[in-house]
Amino acid sequence: MRFVGERVARVEDPRLLTGRGKFVDDVTLPRMLHVAFVRSPMAHARINSIDTSAARAVPGVVAVFTGADLAAGCNPLTGLRNGPKWPTFRALPTDKARFVGDPLVMVVADSRYIAEDACELVDIDYEPLPAVTGYETALDPASPAIFDELGDNIVATSPPVTLGDIDAAFAEADQVVRATLRQHRVANVPLETRGGIADYDPASGELTFIASTQTPHGLRQALAQALDHPLERLRVLAGDVGGGFGLKGVVGREDFCIALASKRLGRPVKWVEDRNEHLLASGHAREEKIDAELALKADGTLLGLKVKLVLDGGAYPAVPFSCTIYPEMICTSLPGPYHIKAYEYESAVVASNKATYVAYRGPWEMEVWTRERLLDIAAHELGLDPADIRRRNLVAGEPGDQIITGRGLEGITSRRSLEQALDLVDYDGFRKEQVAARAAGRYLGIGFAIFMEAAPGPPELRGKGAPFGGEQAKAALQADGHLLVTTGQAPHGQGHETTLAQVAADQMGIPLDHVRVVHGDTRQTPFNLIGTGGSRAGTWATGAVIVTTRRLKEKVLDIAAHRLQIDPGDLDIVDGMVTPKGAPDKAIPLADVAKLAMMAPMFLPPGTDVSLTAQERFDGSAVTSSGWSGGAHVCTVEVDLATGQVRILRYVVVEDCGRVVNPAIVEGQICGGIAQGIGEVLYENAAYDADGNFLAATFMDYLLPTAAEIPHIEIEHIDSAGLGDFDFHGVGEGGALAAPATLTNAVADALLPFGARVVDQYLPPAKILELAGVISA
């Protein structure tokens, strides 16, 4: 890899350095170039022409690329498909602008400032087209197709799937609760925006891409496929990444552009989006609508459930994982840990003139919000306590318990989590306080939600052929007795460097500071298409590190046994010393064993394995627990009817994540997810108007909660005594999964005296006052 400003001796590539066909002996590599994009100001428009001549004439501009300029070097973009319809699209479009912020032209210059100035001089002739901005418009066959070749904007559909006798369940019902429940768009907003540096070396044909990504191998695969670049000559590096939350599991169209620009120009090319670009065009999440019908007995017993899901996927499919994978995740999880006799679901994904739908922490969160909101609505209509309707229907986690969609629930602790959380918040006492407060004109509310997270999930989700099953790790003992652990994970703030080092140190018997965890380099790390996402690290990464470190330890003890003339079974490693059991005075440093294997293997018996490395795969078969993370959240609030403000009084969590590796990191993950869930409900909204104009492109309009708005979060863990060595469960999604439902239910409970029926997740002050009848809709 080349670095800007690096001095090199005798470089024999005249194209790279001088352009004059001469060899040079002492030169400085070319300076890095910088990119800015011309983005569409229109939601939907045909591109009649693009004039870049004025931009190309700006001093310091090196190149200007349109979609037509890049078409020859970049294949149409693809991803994992679900259904027959898939649009053909490219890194930069040649026919249409499809949302406000759509990148249309790339300017490459000596500085970002010059590139942005030149962008202002690009002249594009647009032919405006009607914008598609809502579910109804997108589902209407008469609406203009965002991709002409598809004919309409229905990207994928799933016909009704029926489990159990749905007609009989509804015929038996004393009450049928119907609701249309809506989630709004939000942005991921990591601390660090998207960005990358592409560095192509014409002499070697090596393309190095330094990226802010959570999936280095996925990015490498996508670049190789799009650019027809040999995989063995493509390296992705991801160092310290400041957050991702699912967004950086997507390969941005800009990534393909800067990689191709570097290949065309033979120079390093850098692009980092600013916050306006991030909010406008990086991608949004969570825009779904569910029409639900819930059949119940008068005592609250659940009988049947019907749901119809529509997801707004935006203008372009994400690469490599399109949003078409999420409806099935949402629908198959939606019944949750509750007994129900029959279930019917169907779904549709539509395209719209909005930014691409991307994964966001717990991308199936709509299932928790729908189910838990629906249960509260049903309890109110039946005159039941919301806690009692859950108690009546929650599974106990006994053998044979399962979601009606077929996933096993044996060992799940949902019922226990709920009771523990209600005790912690003094549920009965709060209800008395609520009555007294209402009499005094104060409106308090309490809400709760049960969630489950398949991390890794029951055996059928982690067995052979499971989509997210299995992970590898590498371990290598160094000559000084320290350990190098290499993981396919790509952490972006979760603390894997600490937790994986802890696990490795415990298994190897060495101090924590003797372990270094390596990640983010596709040339070193085991292949992992997903990288860090879906709470994989909790079980899969730790499991891989355990089995790999154990294998390496076996090798080390075999070598030490020859040195000490003792059976390997009588040896252990304690604090970096290979120690005969019962004879600590005869211990030798681990470094001595490493040096013996590396430097004097001739003194060991023939056939001794002296390679102090190991690479093993963990397949999840050693997990002995349910495989579910989960628990209960409880929140109490006070609603101010003078301002519409919601004040969170208490937030209590009871979490079951199996064995806890590092309590501080686990609780940090939970609190971070809750903060994002609170933001979704009370502050954040990636809003568009009816014409497709984006209304939240700065932090003046897209509001984020600060530390002042997030309450102290009380967390207790379900006792994990008796669990096996591999029963660490992931916790990355849980806080974000449960918080929106918990908070929404609390606000709805506070507004019950006004007859409010809360069916929208976004509850800013104006919406609160509207629901309470203080202002009109």
Side-chain angles (χ1 to χ4, degrees):
M1 176 182 173
R2 305 169 300 142
F3 295 92
V4 175
E6 181 183 4
R7 305 293 291 185
V8 296
R10 191 161 182 78
V11 176
E12 299 181 359
D13 188 341
R15 297 170 302 164
L16 177 62
L17 296 170
T18 68
R20 296 188 296 272
K22 296 180 181 179
F23 295 144
V24 290
D25 292 319
D26 188 21
V27 296
T28 301
L29 293 176
R31 290 178 58 84
M32 183 181 295
L33 300 173
H34 298 264
V35 161
F37 289 94
V38 178
R39 296 183 181 274
S40 172
M42 309 192 73
H44 198 192
R46 203 167 298 282
I47 300 171
N48 290 329
S49 65
I50 301 177
D51 183 355
T52 63
S53 57
R56 294 177 191 273
V58 173
V61 169
V62 176
V64 180
F65 295 98
T66 65
D69 296 327
L70 296 184
C74 187
N75 296 321
L77 304 182
T78 60
L80 296 181
R81 306 184 183 192
N82 182 12
K85 297 177 71 172
W86 191 261
T88 298
F89 67 101
R90 295 183 177 273
L92 295 179
T94 58
D95 55 347
K96 282 184 181 183
R98 292 180 170 87
F99 70 98
V100 173
D102 198 352
L104 305 180
V105 178
M106 173 174 58
V107 177
V108 188
D110 289 335
S111 75
R112 176 68 178 254
Y113 308 100
I114 294 172
E116 290 194 358
D117 288 345
C119 283
E120 298 291 329
L121 301 178
V122 174
D123 184 17
I124 302 178
D125 179 22
Y126 298 99
E127 178 188 335
L129 298 170
V132 177
T133 59
Y135 298 114
E136 291 75 18
T137 308
L139 289 167
D140 184 354
S143 296
I146 294 170
F147 286 91
D148 295 340
E149 66 270 26
L150 299 187
D152 59 34
N153 296 308
I154 303 173
V155 176
T157 59
S158 171
V161 175
T162 303
L163 303 167
D165 191 337
I166 194 72
D167 293 333
F170 273 76
E172 186 184 349
D174 297 317
Q175 181 87 359
V176 175
V177 175
R178 296 178 175 86
T180 297
L181 300 160
R182 293 174 289 266
Q183 279 198 143
H184 57 294
R185 285 194 154 224
V186 294
N188 299 60
V189 199
L191 181 66
E192 173 185 278
T193 57
R194 297 179 301 152
I197 299 172
D199 186 3
Y200 179 68
D201 184 349
S204 66
E206 292 277 342
L207 174 61
T208 301
F209 199 102
I210 304 171
S212 181
T213 180
Q214 61 192 80
T215 172
H217 284 281
L219 174 56
R220 177 173 176 255
Q221 295 280 116
L223 289 173
Q225 181 178 14
L227 305 182
D228 285 328
H229 195 91
L231 271 170
E232 75 277 5
R233 295 185 183 273
L234 205 163
R235 181 184 188 187
V236 171
L237 295 168
D240 291 330
V241 174
F245 310 122
L247 169 68
K248 293 177 184 175
V250 172
V251 182
R253 289 158 59 210
E254 298 89 347
D255 295 331
F256 300 103
C257 292
I258 63 174
L260 189 54
S262 183
K263 290 192 70 172
R264 292 274 182 90
L265 302 172
R267 293 175 65 178
V269 176
K270 176 181 179 180
W271 171 74
V272 176
E273 70 178 354
D274 60 30
R275 189 59 68 177
N276 174 261
E277 286 180 294
H278 170 78
L279 292 170
L280 188 70
S282 65
H284 301 144
R286 299 281 202 252
E287 189 171 12
E288 299 110 4
K289 174 177 74 78
I290 284 183
D291 294 316
E293 297 180 67
L294 180 63
L296 309 93
K297 299 291 287 183
D299 63 2
T301 300
L302 303 181
L303 298 173
L305 175 63
K306 297 178 182 179
V307 298
K308 293 181 180 180
L309 166 70
V310 183
L311 181 152
D312 186 335
Y316 295 93
V319 176
F321 300 110
S322 162
C323 65
T324 54
I325 68 175
Y326 299 122
E328 184 73 6
M329 295 172 67
I330 293 169
C331 290
T332 56
S333 301
L334 200 149
Y338 295 91
H339 291 293
I340 189 167
K341 289 184 175 181
Y343 178 44
E344 183 176 277
Y345 64 90
E346 59 184 291
S347 66
V349 176
V350 297
S352 68
N353 292 119
K354 301 175 185 176
T356 295
Y357 182 110
V358 298
Y360 182 39
R361 202 170 194 170
W364 60 96
E365 183 254 317
M366 183 62 170
E367 58 94 3
V368 181
W369 190 73
T370 297
R371 179 185 65 247
E372 300 297 321
R373 182 82 279 272
L374 201 58
L375 286 172
D376 268 32
I377 293 172
H380 173 58
E381 291 193 8
L382 290 169
L384 301 173
D385 188 297
D388 289 339
I389 199 171
R390 289 170 172 82
R391 288 170 174 140
R392 179 171 294 277
N393 293 287
L394 278 169
V395 304
E398 300 294 337
D401 281 342
Q402 63 177 24
I403 307 177
I404 194 170
T405 52
R407 300 173 183 176
L409 296 175
E410 180 178 351
I412 199 164
T413 57
S414 302
R415 183 186 295 272
R416 179 180 169 189
S417 299
L418 175 63
E419 296 300 341
Q420 193 168 327
L422 293 177
D423 286 345
L424 285 170
V425 82
D426 185 15
Y427 182 61
D428 293 337
F430 180 84
R431 285 300 189 193
K432 293 176 183 177
E433 180 185 356
Q434 183 183 47
V435 171
R438 284 177 179 171
R442 295 175 55 227
Y443 296 94
L444 307 184
I446 186 167
F448 29 87
I450 308 293
F451 78 97
M452 306 185 317
E453 180 181 355
E460 58 268 20
L461 289 183
R462 59 179 188 261
K464 184 177 181 181
F468 301 116
E471 185 154 336
Q472 298 180 78
K474 300 178 185 177
L477 187 65
Q478 308 301 295
D480 59 359
H482 289 203
L483 187 64
L484 193 67
V485 173
T486 307
T487 177
Q489 291 286 305
H492 39 280
Q494 298 91 336
H496 295 358
E497 300 91 334
T498 300
T499 54
L500 297 184
Q502 282 184 254
V503 171
D506 288 347
Q507 293 298 317
M508 199 69 187
I510 59 178
L512 178 63
D513 61 0
H514 287 194
V515 182
R516 182 188 170 208
V517 175
V518 175
H519 59 82
D521 182 349
T522 58
R523 195 151 286 173
Q524 299 185 59
T525 57
F527 180 79
N528 180 347
L529 180 64
I530 301 165
T532 292
S535 297
R536 288 181 52 82
T539 298
W540 300 111
T542 52
V545 169
I546 288 172
V547 297
T548 299
T549 308
R550 284 180 177 177
R551 176 69 187 114
L552 177 59
K553 186 176 181 180
E554 290 173 2
K555 291 186 178 186
V556 169
L557 293 182
D558 282 343
I559 296 168
H562 292 300
R563 163 75 183 274
L564 295 171
Q565 296 298 300
I566 190 172
D567 188 275
D570 292 328
L571 292 175
D572 201 359
I573 304 175
V574 180
D575 200 24
M577 302 290 289
V578 180
T579 307
K581 296 176 182 177
D585 57 313
K586 298 187 181 300
I588 60 173
L590 184 57
D592 288 358
V593 180
K595 291 172 184 175
L596 173 63
M598 293 177 181
M599 303 174 188
M602 71 287 296
F603 295 111
L604 295 169
T608 302
D609 186 350
V610 294
S611 62
L612 297 181
T613 62
Q615 180 170 344
E616 299 290 329
R617 181 178 183 83
F618 179 70
D619 63 5
S621 60
V623 175
T624 60
S625 61
S626 70
W628 293 102
S629 287
H633 290 208
V634 181
C635 173
T636 60
V637 302
E638 180 171 2
V639 175
D640 184 345
L641 294 188
T643 64
Q645 296 290 328
V646 175
R647 183 164 68 96
I648 301 174
L649 305 175
R650 287 187 72 185
Y651 201 107
V652 172
V653 177
V654 174
E655 174 94 15
D656 181 358
C657 62
R659 300 182 65 196
V660 176
V661 178
N662 187 306
I665 287 177
V666 167
E667 294 185 4
Q669 285 288 299
I670 296 169
C671 291
I674 291 169
Q676 289 173 307
I678 291 170
E680 283 182 40
V681 175
L682 299 181
Y683 302 100
E684 301 179 47
N685 184 17
Y688 289 82
D689 68 14
D691 296 320
N693 296 305
F694 190 57
L695 305 178
T698 74
F699 283 152
M700 293 294 290
D701 303 297
Y702 190 91
L703 304 182
L704 289 175
T706 70
E709 285 78 48
I710 303 302
H712 171 67
I713 297 169
E714 306 165 53
I715 301 173
E716 286 200 2
H717 298 284
I718 294 290
D719 181 16
S720 61
L723 292 180
D725 290 349
F726 297 90
D727 289 320
F728 307 105
H729 300 166
V731 294
E733 328 293 327
L737 287 173
T742 304
L743 180 54
T744 306
N745 282 343
V747 173
D749 185 60
L751 297 177
L752 278 179
F754 306 98
R757 196 173 198 250
V758 179
V759 293
D760 295 295
Q761 190 181 96
Y762 183 48
L763 298 173
K767 184 67 173 180
I768 297 288
L769 296 177
E770 176 190 321
L771 288 166
V774 176
I775 62 174
S776 58

